[in-house]
Amino acid sequence: MQGTTRARLKALAAITVFLGTVSLSCLILTVTFTVQAAPFSPAIQANEKRQSLDGSDTDGYRAQLYLANKVYDDVENLLDSQTLDSCQMCQQGMQIAQTFALQAPKLLPGVLRSLCERYAFKRLDACAGLMERLGPQLVGIFAEMNLTGSDGYYACAYSFPGSCPVPLHLPQNITFPKPKPVHAQPPPPSGETIQVLHFSDWHLDPLYRPGAEAKCSHNICCRDYGRWNDPGPIKKRASKWGEGKCDTPIALGLSALQAIQLFVPNASFGLFTGDIASHDSWMITEKYIEEEETRSYELFKQYLQEMKLYVAMGNHDSYPSDQAPGRMRPNSYITHKWLYDHVAGIWEKNNWISSSEADYARSHNAMFMTRPMPGLKLITLNTDLYYVRNFFTMLDTDQDDPSGMFHDLILELQDSEDHNERVWIMGHMAPVTRTLPRASVLFQRIVARYSPHVIAGVFSGHYHQDKFIVVHDPDQEQSEESAINMVYQGPSITPLDKSNPAIRWYDIDKKTFSVVNAYTATADIIDQAAYWEANGMEPEWKIEYSARETYQDPEAPLNPQAPLSPAFWYRAVERMKQDRDLFKKYLQYESKSSSEARECHKGSACELETLCQMQASTVVQHAICTLQADSLHKHKKRPKKWEAFGTTRAGKTLHVLDYSEQRGVNGGTEVESLEMAAQQRQQNLLRRRLDDSKGDL
Ligand SMILES: *[C@@H]1O[C@H](CO)[C@@H](O)[C@H](O)[C@H]1NC(C)=O
Ligand SMILES: *[C@@H]1O[C@H](CO)[C@@H](O)[C@H](O)[C@H]1NC(C)=O
Ligand SMILES: *[C@@H]1O[C@H](CO)[C@@H](O)[C@H](O)[C@H]1NC(C)=O
């Protein structure tokens, strides 16, 4: 093979990936196209050799190279274009990537790996590992993208921040089986309560090693990475009990389960809102995920005994991480049947759900319905299906509900309304950020339709922090009256992100299943772990706070039987706006009283944004909070990395386009952009913020 072909292939690969595949922001930052003769990487050479020795396929392989050569010319023309903007360029790049994936699929995985080597990633092992895992799936996804529709547009917007603006497509058709009853009210409280346990984001790391580096350059530390360890002496020694840059060591996991036994041995049942596995997405295998799940659920069963535990799938509960096809694809290059069969089997075996409920979960992406108590239906969603890091969300982008999950949710809620039953909804991720806007708005509308009379609460995890979100009726001005439901975003067990581990439980009204109080208990791993270890002590778990005592207005105390209604939380947020001490308490509890809790200074954009987001239940509302905070702090610097899309071979800087110029490019889907469409500057900020990878867990 000639050197120029190699160079061209390499450049093509660079462009293919740059334009079309990975969402690693490091890639976006560091890629500059330099098309010059460069030797193939060992990975490519090996790949090449294997395939040509394969004999039978030599002709096919030649044909692929020929194709690559031709496609390269198209890419050159594309990059030389003076007329295309960055979004059009990205979308056309998608078409090239699709051609490549369809006709030269064998080259892609090796090419992806070599790109990691070429572009000097900070963590070559992580990049290459991720590529290896995602490669085969990306080939399949490209093959199915409908590029005459909006799929390419979504892929650009979410994988290459700044290329195309984030599409603010709202649901096109939301219809409910029946209109909402007028004056729908929750039932009156009974005055009697039960306890319910809630824990989340377990993230057990079986490879955690006390004594390893606790301050490494990986996204999780406290492991022996062998030749991928950071050079030099250990900066901080990992304690036995955990560290703020590491996932959960088994010792901490067991300590948390003991804390559950200590504080809530009599809970009526428990919720686990997902994420069993560790954060090393670049190292995991199917087998690893399976075993983490088997072992962890076994432990939960062992400690909780007869207490039923209901489990939602998290983005780290699948292989590859974050990926979940919403429906069976024609070319089933990836299916989660093995995964859902596996987990549903354990849930059934542990007697957490019945065999018919488990069957439902197996055939519905791990969504299921169960009745923990008479009068209460629990609906468990798989929220991975609309997570923006799930590449399958780039397929079927013209549809509101490709997996049918929302459709099923509506039917279940209607059934409960018809039978005067109360409902809880649980899922890993509250759909308020890093979710497709369409799914997010759809979820909010559904919650609004069936609140406050049917849905008694929404429970989630994912963000590791202890937070709550007031859901308002989208058809009303935000007020105490428009507050119709609550998302309780539970704290994590993992101390990763410098936040302490925590468990949560609720007092629940026995008849209405409304939350009457919420408690969090935590152990100060961040500051005390080394001390406990040195003194042969166990972590000391303490009740951190009770929501009722903390957020109740001392001048207008609640009736003892009254639940923590959405209005209660609305008033708490309004008070935080005036009462700095109350707001500081919130921030302290958010990180589970970690000494590394973030500080939002008085009057800062951070403070405004945080307070606003406590009442923002959709991606759009969430982003508006950011825009409002930014507009009050014009000089606040955004990270430079989002300023421009990238640099082309010719050194041209591609400018980010304004959303308003993009109408019509995405297959004629009706684009509603709320009041923001006109505000171009704000749009840019919104887009950057939505794509800010901070908060991806
Ligand atoms: C692709 O999208 C276009 C525009 O939305 C649509 O008309 C067409 O039916 C889609 N093709 C397939 C195969 O889904
Ligand atoms: C909207 O959805 C409902 C229920 O799925 C369906 O019956 C109806 O035909 C749809 N309407 C439109 C305009 O697509
Ligand atoms: C749990 O229930 C038992 C038996 O009713 C009771 O003795 C015990 O105090 C309860 N424990 C807690 C922590 O509430």
Side-chain angles (χ1 to χ4, degrees), residues 195 261-267:
Q195 277 184 329
Q261 286 182 327
L262 177 70
F263 289 110
V264 270
N266 300 333

Side-chain angles (χ1 to χ4, degrees), residues 271-524:
L271 311 178
F272 173 70
T273 42
D275 271 6
I276 290 285
S278 50
H279 281 89
D280 51 332
S281 312
W282 71 98
M283 289 176 74
I284 61 166
T285 60
E286 257 180 50
K287 193 86 203 134
Y288 178 86
I289 294 292
E290 274 189 357
E291 284 188 4
E292 270 249 45
E293 281 157 352
T294 306
R295 277 210 58 196
S296 299
Y297 294 145
E298 247 169 35
L299 278 177
F300 296 170
K301 179 70 187 169
Q302 185 188 328
Y303 278 79
L304 302 180
Q305 300 194 9
E306 292 315 303
M307 188 197 300
K308 293 203 187 209
L309 184 70
Y310 304 107
V311 176
M313 295 304 282
N315 55 307
H316 285 280
D317 296 328
S318 70
Y319 174 88
S321 293
D322 309 329
Q323 307 306 310
R327 61 178 177 85
M328 280 304 278
R329 317 294 321 177
N331 310 315
S332 54
Y333 44 88
I334 186 169
T335 155
H336 275 2
K337 189 177 181 318
W338 64 274
L339 177 64
Y340 302 144
D341 282 354
H342 175 65
V343 293
I346 303 176
W347 302 341
E348 182 185 344
K349 191 186 100 208
N350 284 354
N351 200 26
W352 293 339
I353 56 176
S354 73
S355 69
S356 63
E357 288 158 359
D359 280 344
Y360 190 96
R362 288 183 184 97
S363 57
H364 287 77
N365 294 307
M367 173 190 184
F368 66 89
M369 272 67 64
T370 187
R371 287 185 175 74
M373 312 275 292
L376 174 66
K377 180 193 281 175
L378 174 70
I379 304 178
T380 302
L381 302 177
N382 181 351
T383 58
D384 298 350
L385 301 183
Y386 43 72
Y387 183 32
V388 296
R389 296 189 72 178
N390 174 6
F391 287 110
F392 286 93
T393 59
M394 296 169 191
L395 300 174
D396 303 321
T397 52
D398 57 340
Q399 294 174 36
D400 288 346
D401 182 23
S403 66
M405 188 173 67
F406 290 117
H407 174 81
D408 295 339
L409 174 63
I410 290 172
L411 294 185
E412 288 296 332
L413 287 165
Q414 187 57 54
D415 170 68
S416 294
E417 181 178 82
D418 293 345
H419 293 92
N420 285 322
E421 189 176 45
R422 295 285 273 171
V423 171
W424 282 6
I425 298 175
M426 93 183 229
H428 179 59
M429 233 174 285
V432 288
T433 171
R434 303 293 292 166
T435 295
L436 294 184
R438 180 141 56 196
S440 167
V441 170
L442 191 50
F443 184 74
Q444 179 208 40
R445 296 268 163 176
I446 294 171
V447 171
R449 161 65 185 81
Y450 292 98
S451 296
H453 57 308
V454 179
I455 303 173
V458 180
F459 302 87
S460 69
H462 180 68
Y463 298 98
H464 296 189
Q465 295 170 323
D466 180 349
K467 284 176 180 287
F468 62 83
I469 299 147
V470 184
V471 183
H472 286 273
D473 180 344
D475 295 327
Q476 291 182 44
E477 191 87 1
Q478 249 183 37
S479 69
E480 192 171 319
E481 287 70 40
S482 73
I484 43 166
N485 223 310
M486 288 303 297
V487 178
Y488 288 93
Q489 189 188 290
S492 63
I493 300 286
T494 184
L496 189 71
D497 306 318
K498 299 177 182 170
S499 75
N500 280 316
I503 57 169
R504 151 71 55 83
W505 64 95
Y506 306 97
D507 289 338
I508 300 292
D509 187 289
K510 222 173 178 168
K511 287 262 156 48
T512 67
F513 300 100
S514 299
V515 174
V516 174
N517 205 349
Y519 306 84
T520 305
T522 181
D524 188 4

Side-chain angles (χ1 to χ4, degrees), residues 13-59:
I15 292 155
T16 304
V17 172
F18 179 59
L19 293 176
T21 55
V22 283
S23 66
L24 295 172
S25 53
C26 52
L27 184 63
I28 297 154
L29 297 185
T30 52
V31 166
T32 46
F33 293 118
T34 44
V35 181
Q36 58 195 13
F40 259 175
S41 73
I44 288 280
Q45 278 166 358
N47 196 25
E48 203 178 295
K49 205 166 182 177
R50 203 165 44 240
Q51 300 200 27
S52 49
L53 286 178
D54 196 357
S56 60
D57 204 28
T58 311
D59 286 349

Side-chain angles (χ1 to χ4, degrees), residues 101-120:
L102 281 171
Q103 300 189 24
K106 288 191 170 176
L107 294 183
L108 195 62
V111 155
L112 291 172
R113 200 199 132 78
S114 82
L115 272 165
C116 290
E117 289 168 12
R118 175 147 169 77
Y119 291 111

